[in-house]
Amino acid sequence: MSESNTRVPTAATGSVRRSRDVPMLVERARDGDPRAVARLITLVESGDDTVPAIAAALAPYTGRAQVVGLTGSPGVGKSTTTNELVRALRAHGHRVGVLAIDPSSPFTGGAILGDRVRMQDHATDPGVYIRSMSSRGHLGGLSAATPQAVRVLEGAGCDVVLVETVGVGQAEVEVASLADTTLVLLAPGMGDAIQAVKAGILEIADVFVVNKADRDGADATVRDIQGMIALGERGPGQWRPQVVRTIAARGEGIDDVAAAIDKHRAWLVEHDELRRRREARAAAEVEAIALGVLRARIGSLRDGTQLPALAAEVASGATDPYAAAEALLAQLSG
């Protein structure tokens, strides 16, 4: 199901690339057509009017894939680790989808989308779909369209969906609200390991991956992380984050990462945490959609008279901003 698979162009292929026929696109995506998957993701990424229909058509096929998030600072080897993790998952017969989020330029809005270049080993594998997405200025390490793109890959029959964030800082932890299991990648020689796993990043990690473990300082990095984990308060039966060493460029330690993911998955199921996380994910998604609709309605009010009139009253002191906001909300609900 690789997006890069080579096929002879046909009239049908051309129609898929431009189509807004949701039932046809979903049917073809379910059959493993990479161009239909690409078209669906393009539609959700662009905020097309068909997005609600796409979500409705995909709903019966979602909630079955294991979603794994990979995050960490730039240069720790996220793309290389993702590439090797895909190889390990394919060896076990899993169909794999990858969403690689790249930062977009604040000036042009463009993105290099270079993560996929590092994953060309799987370009001809029909059991792998790799899609690069621009963050489009969205903070948190993801793109605003990522949740719906995950739904598309689930609907297309992926058993595992890997979501690789942009290089993130200590507060950019949005991937944890999307993934069943979150991997935080670190590397020795990139500064104080304690600094790297301060509150935020430390709290979202289900598995810590110390990559480039052949470098000097790897042992110290592992010790620092284990020390920070030991300081955390956990009740009986709570998950204790695993720490795994890898040299992803040589494929070393990747099987240990896959084993840690499987172990965490088993814990999630055993403690009913998987259901709780997915319900929390759905709640966040519904809330984000509702807020988006409200923002759009508020934006439309700017073209009318109500919001400018309220703004003038606040600026002149005739009313306060809270009262003005209540009046605005009253108009929205009406």
Side-chain angles (χ1 to χ4, degrees), residues 88-242:
L89 291 168
R90 289 295 293 142
H92 287 85
H94 296 301
R95 298 182 73 182
V96 183
V98 178
L99 294 175
I101 317 300
D102 279 325
S104 55
S105 166
F107 305 104
T108 66
I112 295 176
L113 302 181
D115 284 332
R116 192 166 55 184
V117 174
R118 300 188 181 101
M119 303 181 200
Q120 285 302 301
D121 294 348
H122 310 291
T124 59
D125 186 344
V128 179
Y129 183 92
I130 300 171
R131 173 74 174 228
S132 291
M133 299 177 66
S134 168
S135 64
R136 301 193 179 193
H138 185 76
L139 300 179
L142 300 178
S143 162
T146 305
Q148 290 304 322
V150 169
R151 285 179 172 271
V152 171
L153 293 180
E154 285 185 301
C158 290
D159 302 306
V160 182
V161 177
L162 304 178
V163 181
E164 179 195 331
T165 74
V166 303
V168 299
Q170 295 164 353
E172 293 166 311
V173 295
E174 187 176 346
V175 68
S177 66
L178 179 70
D180 300 324
T181 299
T182 301
L183 311 185
V184 173
L185 276 69
L186 303 165
M190 300 190 69
D192 184 0
I194 298 298
Q195 181 76 7
V197 295
K198 281 185 175 179
I201 288 291
L202 175 66
E203 293 165 356
I204 71 167
D206 299 306
V207 179
F208 285 103
V209 178
V210 179
N211 192 33
K212 306 181 182 181
D214 53 338
R215 289 185 176 181
D216 291 340
D219 291 342
T221 301
V222 171
R223 284 197 303 270
D224 287 342
I225 297 169
Q226 290 174 334
M228 291 294 290
I229 292 172
L231 293 175
E233 295 183 3
R234 291 178 184 81
Q238 285 189 304
W239 175 255
R240 180 184 177 89
Q242 307 286 291

Side-chain angles (χ1 to χ4, degrees), residues 12-100:
T13 294
S15 66
V16 166
R17 287 177 173 170
R18 296 184 296 272
S19 177
R20 298 174 77 248
D21 183 344
V22 172
M24 181 271 287
L25 290 172
V26 170
E27 181 180 357
R28 292 200 176 192
R30 293 286 299 161
D31 291 337
D33 183 346
R35 290 179 177 84
V37 177
R39 180 59 178 160
L40 287 169
I41 293 179
T42 296
L43 289 171
V44 301
E45 194 173 10
S46 63
D48 191 81
D49 292 342
T50 58
V51 172
I54 291 171
L58 290 172
Y61 312 113
T62 57
R64 303 171 189 174
Q66 183 177 10
V67 182
V68 179
L70 296 92
T71 189
S73 301
V76 297
K78 294 189 298 297
S79 294
T80 305
T81 301
T82 300
N83 184 64
E84 293 303 316
L85 195 52
V86 169
R87 195 187 312 279
L89 291 168
R90 289 295 293 142
H92 287 85
H94 296 301
R95 298 182 73 182
V96 183
V98 178
L99 294 175

